[in-house]
Amino acid sequence: MLSKLQQHYGNHFSLHTADRPEQYYWFADQAGVTFGIAKTAVTSSELELLHSLFTEAGTDTRLSEQQIFWKNVISGGLLGEHPQVRYRFIHFFLKDDLIDQDAFLEAVSGIFPDEVTLLFMSGHHGVLIEPTTNETEELPYDQVKSVLTADFYTDLDLFIGMWMDSYAEGAEQFRIEREMFSSIRPYLPPQEVYCREDLIPYLLHIHLDKFSSRFISNLIPDELFKDRDLIHSIKIFLECNMNLSMAAKKLYIHRNSLQYRVDKFIEKTGIDVKQFKQAVAVYHALISRETTVS
């Protein structure tokens, strides 16, 4: 959509700043990407149509060249030839709108190297763009959550997207990742950072028809769900790769207590959750029940 507007309005269209921003109408699309169209180039009927399609917005004249570049990639409005680098999007979603974005940007900039770019798409959603500079060194994305929680008294979720090799595919990939994570986010268990593999089981189940969902859920007898401690313990056990010690530590119970619950589940269901295939089946049954109830 934005690329078509850019073609239509030509030099009267801006995806970042303008010498005289007051002479432009400014809007934001569904992804939160801001763009402007010169007032002299817009008819009254076109303006009415633009208001019906987009949200009115102000312009941020403080964007760096690096931010402007990536904003153009995300919007699909990048023009000309540019040296290609490998990159990925790190989406962040805040629980509450962030009032002081400048302070947040300064705090995050202290954690990451200069190559990482931060863009706010709205008051509670933004993206970090990480280009490949040193693939052997994983950047500390888990620290972003700690910084924000401690300094800004709010919480956020981080979702790490896939590595990309083409700017042309950036806009579509950004939209897919954002929409997929947004749809799954209410069902995900709390954790520091989410990756694509965390989403896949939930994506499968929220799009299942009711008969398939019921078939999977019925793997575990209904009466067993009355024992919430048992069901919760089994799910944590599976999420900890069936490691008793790790799961017991996460549950704050003794290893023997967890072993008892696992044995109890096996006895009640006849399903040995210590075996891979059966463990996978049970995990999907638990997720199916969660997504159905939610």
PDB file of all heavy atoms in Angstrom, residues 201-214:
ATOM      1  N   PRO A 201       3.680 -24.933  18.223  1.00  0.00           N
ATOM      2  CA  PRO A 201       2.601 -25.759  18.771  1.00  0.00           C
ATOM      3  C   PRO A 201       1.298 -24.988  18.947  1.00  0.00           C
ATOM      4  O   PRO A 201       0.211 -25.519  18.695  1.00  0.00           O
ATOM      5  CB  PRO A 201       3.166 -26.211  20.126  1.00  0.00           C
ATOM      6  CG  PRO A 201       4.645 -26.111  19.976  1.00  0.00           C
ATOM      7  CD  PRO A 201       4.865 -24.924  19.095  1.00  0.00           C
ATOM      8  N   TYR A 202       1.394 -23.724  19.381  1.00  0.00           N
ATOM      9  CA  TYR A 202       0.192 -22.923  19.599  1.00  0.00           C
ATOM     10  C   TYR A 202      -0.450 -22.518  18.283  1.00  0.00           C
ATOM     11  O   TYR A 202      -1.686 -22.479  18.169  1.00  0.00           O
ATOM     12  CB  TYR A 202       0.533 -21.686  20.436  1.00  0.00           C
ATOM     13  CG  TYR A 202       0.932 -22.022  21.849  1.00  0.00           C
ATOM     14  CD1 TYR A 202       2.267 -22.294  22.171  1.00  0.00           C
ATOM     15  CD2 TYR A 202      -0.014 -22.120  22.865  1.00  0.00           C
ATOM     16  CE1 TYR A 202       2.644 -22.622  23.469  1.00  0.00           C
ATOM     17  CE2 TYR A 202       0.349 -22.451  24.161  1.00  0.00           C
ATOM     18  CZ  TYR A 202       1.681 -22.701  24.456  1.00  0.00           C
ATOM     19  OH  TYR A 202       2.043 -23.035  25.739  1.00  0.00           O
ATOM     20  N   LEU A 203       0.364 -22.212  17.274  1.00  0.00           N
ATOM     21  CA  LEU A 203      -0.175 -21.879  15.956  1.00  0.00           C
ATOM     22  C   LEU A 203      -0.970 -23.046  15.380  1.00  0.00           C
ATOM     23  O   LEU A 203      -2.027 -22.858  14.777  1.00  0.00           O
ATOM     24  CB  LEU A 203       0.965 -21.516  15.000  1.00  0.00           C
ATOM     25  CG  LEU A 203       1.520 -20.099  15.087  1.00  0.00           C
ATOM     26  CD1 LEU A 203       2.772 -19.962  14.233  1.00  0.00           C
ATOM     27  CD2 LEU A 203       0.482 -19.078  14.649  1.00  0.00           C
ATOM     28  N   LEU A 204      -0.455 -24.239  15.579  1.00  0.00           N
ATOM     29  CA  LEU A 204      -1.146 -25.424  15.072  1.00  0.00           C
ATOM     30  C   LEU A 204      -2.515 -25.586  15.713  1.00  0.00           C
ATOM     31  O   LEU A 204      -3.504 -25.905  15.043  1.00  0.00           O
ATOM     32  CB  LEU A 204      -0.298 -26.676  15.326  1.00  0.00           C
ATOM     33  CG  LEU A 204       1.016 -26.791  14.549  1.00  0.00           C
ATOM     34  CD1 LEU A 204       1.802 -28.005  15.022  1.00  0.00           C
ATOM     35  CD2 LEU A 204       0.740 -26.896  13.055  1.00  0.00           C
ATOM     36  N   HIS A 205      -2.593 -25.318  16.998  1.00  0.00           N
ATOM     37  CA  HIS A 205      -3.832 -25.614  17.719  1.00  0.00           C
ATOM     38  C   HIS A 205      -4.897 -24.533  17.585  1.00  0.00           C
ATOM     39  O   HIS A 205      -6.087 -24.857  17.545  1.00  0.00           O
ATOM     40  CB  HIS A 205      -3.524 -25.884  19.194  1.00  0.00           C
ATOM     41  CG  HIS A 205      -2.909 -27.218  19.424  1.00  0.00           C
ATOM     42  ND1 HIS A 205      -3.633 -28.394  19.448  1.00  0.00           N
ATOM     43  CD2 HIS A 205      -1.621 -27.597  19.595  1.00  0.00           C
ATOM     44  CE1 HIS A 205      -2.823 -29.418  19.632  1.00  0.00           C
ATOM     45  NE2 HIS A 205      -1.591 -28.959  19.730  1.00  0.00           N
ATOM     46  N   ILE A 206      -4.535 -23.280  17.512  1.00  0.00           N
ATOM     47  CA  ILE A 206      -5.576 -22.252  17.408  1.00  0.00           C
ATOM     48  C   ILE A 206      -6.251 -22.271  16.037  1.00  0.00           C
ATOM     49  O   ILE A 206      -7.335 -21.705  15.869  1.00  0.00           O
ATOM     50  CB  ILE A 206      -5.037 -20.834  17.703  1.00  0.00           C
ATOM     51  CG1 ILE A 206      -4.029 -20.387  16.646  1.00  0.00           C
ATOM     52  CG2 ILE A 206      -4.459 -20.751  19.094  1.00  0.00           C
ATOM     53  CD1 ILE A 206      -3.623 -18.935  16.797  1.00  0.00           C
ATOM     54  N   HIS A 207      -5.639 -22.965  15.062  1.00  0.00           N
ATOM     55  CA  HIS A 207      -6.247 -23.051  13.735  1.00  0.00           C
ATOM     56  C   HIS A 207      -6.864 -24.428  13.465  1.00  0.00           C
ATOM     57  O   HIS A 207      -7.335 -24.678  12.355  1.00  0.00           O
ATOM     58  CB  HIS A 207      -5.206 -22.735  12.664  1.00  0.00           C
ATOM     59  CG  HIS A 207      -4.716 -21.319  12.708  1.00  0.00           C
ATOM     60  ND1 HIS A 207      -5.531 -20.240  12.479  1.00  0.00           N
ATOM     61  CD2 HIS A 207      -3.500 -20.790  12.993  1.00  0.00           C
ATOM     62  CE1 HIS A 207      -4.853 -19.116  12.596  1.00  0.00           C
ATOM     63  NE2 HIS A 207      -3.623 -19.423  12.908  1.00  0.00           N
ATOM     64  N   LEU A 208      -6.901 -25.288  14.470  1.00  0.00           N
ATOM     65  CA  LEU A 208      -7.525 -26.601  14.314  1.00  0.00           C
ATOM     66  C   LEU A 208      -9.042 -26.482  14.328  1.00  0.00           C
ATOM     67  O   LEU A 208      -9.608 -25.610  14.997  1.00  0.00           O
ATOM     68  CB  LEU A 208      -7.096 -27.525  15.454  1.00  0.00           C
ATOM     69  CG  LEU A 208      -5.746 -28.234  15.359  1.00  0.00           C
ATOM     70  CD1 LEU A 208      -5.523 -29.068  16.609  1.00  0.00           C
ATOM     71  CD2 LEU A 208      -5.656 -29.115  14.125  1.00  0.00           C
ATOM     72  N   ASP A 209      -9.723 -27.376  13.607  1.00  0.00           N
ATOM     73  CA  ASP A 209     -11.183 -27.433  13.734  1.00  0.00           C
ATOM     74  C   ASP A 209     -11.530 -28.076  15.073  1.00  0.00           C
ATOM     75  O   ASP A 209     -10.695 -28.729  15.713  1.00  0.00           O
ATOM     76  CB  ASP A 209     -11.795 -28.223  12.570  1.00  0.00           C
ATOM     77  CG  ASP A 209     -11.313 -29.666  12.547  1.00  0.00           C
ATOM     78  OD1 ASP A 209     -11.793 -30.478  13.355  1.00  0.00           O
ATOM     79  OD2 ASP A 209     -10.422 -29.981  11.716  1.00  0.00           O
ATOM     80  N   LYS A 210     -12.760 -27.872  15.527  1.00  0.00           N
ATOM     81  CA  LYS A 210     -13.142 -28.294  16.880  1.00  0.00           C
ATOM     82  C   LYS A 210     -13.076 -29.806  17.077  1.00  0.00           C
ATOM     83  O   LYS A 210     -12.811 -30.294  18.180  1.00  0.00           O
ATOM     84  CB  LYS A 210     -14.534 -27.783  17.218  1.00  0.00           C
ATOM     85  CG  LYS A 210     -15.660 -28.341  16.373  1.00  0.00           C
ATOM     86  CD  LYS A 210     -17.009 -27.798  16.843  1.00  0.00           C
ATOM     87  CE  LYS A 210     -18.154 -28.376  16.025  1.00  0.00           C
ATOM     88  NZ  LYS A 210     -19.467 -27.845  16.488  1.00  0.00           N
ATOM     89  N   PHE A 211     -13.287 -30.575  16.007  1.00  0.00           N
ATOM     90  CA  PHE A 211     -13.259 -32.026  16.135  1.00  0.00           C
ATOM     91  C   PHE A 211     -11.824 -32.533  16.334  1.00  0.00           C
ATOM     92  O   PHE A 211     -11.576 -33.410  17.168  1.00  0.00           O
ATOM     93  CB  PHE A 211     -13.890 -32.671  14.893  1.00  0.00           C
ATOM     94  CG  PHE A 211     -15.312 -32.271  14.669  1.00  0.00           C
ATOM     95  CD1 PHE A 211     -15.632 -31.384  13.660  1.00  0.00           C
ATOM     96  CD2 PHE A 211     -16.319 -32.756  15.493  1.00  0.00           C
ATOM     97  CE1 PHE A 211     -16.943 -30.993  13.453  1.00  0.00           C
ATOM     98  CE2 PHE A 211     -17.638 -32.374  15.290  1.00  0.00           C
ATOM     99  CZ  PHE A 211     -17.955 -31.484  14.273  1.00  0.00           C
ATOM    100  N   SER A 212     -10.905 -31.975  15.579  1.00  0.00           N
ATOM    101  CA  SER A 212      -9.499 -32.360  15.748  1.00  0.00           C
ATOM    102  C   SER A 212      -8.995 -31.942  17.123  1.00  0.00           C
ATOM    103  O   SER A 212      -8.272 -32.687  17.789  1.00  0.00           O
ATOM    104  CB  SER A 212      -8.636 -31.703  14.663  1.00  0.00           C
ATOM    105  OG  SER A 212      -9.043 -32.105  13.386  1.00  0.00           O
ATOM    106  N   SER A 213      -9.391 -30.745  17.557  1.00  0.00           N
ATOM    107  CA  SER A 213      -8.976 -30.249  18.858  1.00  0.00           C
ATOM    108  C   SER A 213      -9.501 -31.136  19.974  1.00  0.00           C
ATOM    109  O   SER A 213      -8.784 -31.465  20.927  1.00  0.00           O
ATOM    110  CB  SER A 213      -9.468 -28.817  19.043  1.00  0.00           C
ATOM    111  OG  SER A 213      -9.072 -28.296  20.288  1.00  0.00           O
ATOM    112  N   ARG A 214     -10.758 -31.552  19.842  1.00  0.00           N
ATOM    113  CA  ARG A 214     -11.352 -32.425  20.862  1.00  0.00           C
ATOM    114  C   ARG A 214     -10.656 -33.784  20.884  1.00  0.00           C
ATOM    115  O   ARG A 214     -10.405 -34.354  21.953  1.00  0.00           O
ATOM    116  CB  ARG A 214     -12.841 -32.599  20.575  1.00  0.00           C
ATOM    117  CG  ARG A 214     -13.591 -33.396  21.642  1.00  0.00           C
ATOM    118  CD  ARG A 214     -15.037 -33.599  21.244  1.00  0.00           C
ATOM    119  NE  ARG A 214     -15.686 -32.312  20.971  1.00  0.00           N
ATOM    120  CZ  ARG A 214     -16.828 -32.192  20.295  1.00  0.00           C
ATOM    121  NH1 ARG A 214     -17.428 -33.272  19.810  1.00  0.00           N
ATOM    122  NH2 ARG A 214     -17.359 -31.003  20.110  1.00  0.00           N
TER     123      ARG A 214
END
